[in-house]
Amino acid sequence: RRLNVRVNIELLSISNPVHKKDLAVRLTDDTDPFFLYNLVISEEDFQSLKSQQGLLVDFSAFPQKFIDLLQQCIQEQNKDIPKFLLQLVSSAPALDHTPVSLNVVETNPFKHLTHLSLKFLPGTDAEIKKFLANCLKCLKEDKMMLEEKLKKTEEDLSRQLSYTQQSLAEKSRELDKLKNEWTSYTTALSNKHSQELTSEKERALQAQTQYQQQHEQQKKELENLHQKSIQQLQNRLSELEVINKDLTERRYKGDSTVRELKAKLSGLEDECQRAKQEVLSLRRENTTLDAECHEKEKLINQLQTRVAVLEQEIKDKDQLVTRTKEVLDATQEQKVILEESTEEKQRHIEKLETTIKSLSAELLKANEIIKKLQGDLKTLMSKLKLKNTVTIQQEKLLAEKEEKLQKEQRESQEMGQSLRMKEQEVCKLQEQLESTIQKLEESKQLLKTNENVITWLNRQLSEVQMAKKLDTPASAPAAGRAAGSPLGMPDRPSFHSSGISHPISPLYAFQNFLEPPHSKNGNPQCPVQLNSQLSKLSRCSDAHTVPAAGHAANKENGDQLGLESKYFKKKDDSIPLRGLSQNTLNMEYLRPYLPSKAQLSPKAAGTPASAYFPG
């Protein structure tokens, strides 16, 4: 019988009394838990086994070799005729607690070879119990692992089920919504399409009547064109027949010239053969003469010893040799001449062959042209038939294309109207943009001017305050100057502490008039307030200003201290600075900042300028 047996191989190391290594082999059956056979091989037992069975392996390499043999048995177990077998042989008829031998057998057609035979002892009750306990332990561990996996899988599946049920409910709701929407949409579409169909049918009937009329007109035109093309083709056919006749005549002429050339060729070939025969005869004579020359040379070599005695005979023979050489030279010259003549004849023959080939090629071309013309005639006839069918198809296509054209024209008109509306909107937006940009630029310029004025006034204020704080004794002469002027304005204040010796601008003087008497200690908000007053005054002025000469103003009033040129403009009716008194100068500077008579109240219109500037 056949059994599936599990083989466990363990290498045990014992080191209590002496360090030893034992090989433990155990046979078990997964189906029968009481099937247990053990074998323990020590190094001494292996030596006796090695000598008995003639093994060539050491104890250290024996386990691996045994495993290799078992693997070969496993590979061959499914075959009909396995090469390697594992035989478990017992002395008793049944496996009932009797010693057993395990044989590894290799089968050949000649003999069954046993590579290894090991004797196993049946397991005792204690060993079987121990083995069964181990098996039970392993099974319990596997069971625990499987139970944990089962719990995890059940939890995952329950989560997935709940999630899928929720998603199913949501999807079913969405489906119902979509069905309702679809039904409403389909009803609306069907109504639309029915209306469109009725309108399209009316249009199609109108278009059909138009196309019928156009078709009749085109048909008449095509018939006229067809008749004209037939007449043209007939004229062309007659011309082609005339050309065909000319080509046939040329062909016959070419055939006659080819025959003449062939006759000439045959005569030239005969002459060539004769010349070749002559050359062959001359070569034979040449060979005979060469042989004679060799014989005579031999004789000369033999008779060299008799030179003194046979001088006369040698002279005669020398003369004969010279004559023969002359004859040889003559024959060689004739040979060269004959070779040249043969080469010329061959060239002439090649020329004739090329002319014959060209003539034959021309004839073939002529035949091909005739065939092509005949084919063209056939294709023209077939094309005429096709044209009739194509016209019918074109009429149908024209009807479809005109319908499409009308639709596209309507769409293009609608698009053109929308485009015009958008263009108008764009123009309006552009105008708004330009106006906003202009306003922005104006506001930016105003901002810049205001900033420059503020910075300049701040500088002037800080310089004045520093001068007041630091130079207390220098204030007496300044006050004297101010009293000297008729309007009470300082003439040209100078700042000794700051190192500025040039005259101050009239804006500074105007600032001193606007300041109240108690502002000598210095107020940080003063520059901003002054700027606002100045801007109000400048808006009220109605006089036009033109740019004055920048260099002259700089020379007279000193540096502009970072201010732009437009703040130093003078009026057209103003008097130049030089040669005028300080009183008139100050009034000219203050005129743009004073309010006009039109803008003043009736009470303030009559008041003098000194009322605005007390002291």
Side-chain angles (χ1 to χ4, degrees), residues 200 402-412:
E200 285 293 324
E402 282 187 354
E403 286 175 3
K404 288 177 183 176
L405 250 169
Q406 285 173 358
K407 285 177 184 177
E408 285 171 359
Q409 281 173 357
R410 285 167 197 160
E411 287 173 0
S412 65

Side-chain angles (χ1 to χ4, degrees), residues 322-335:
T322 52
R323 284 173 189 172
T324 51
K325 279 179 181 177
E326 286 172 359
V327 171
L328 256 169
D329 292 332
T331 52
Q332 282 175 354
E333 285 173 0
Q334 284 177 355
K335 186 184 172 185

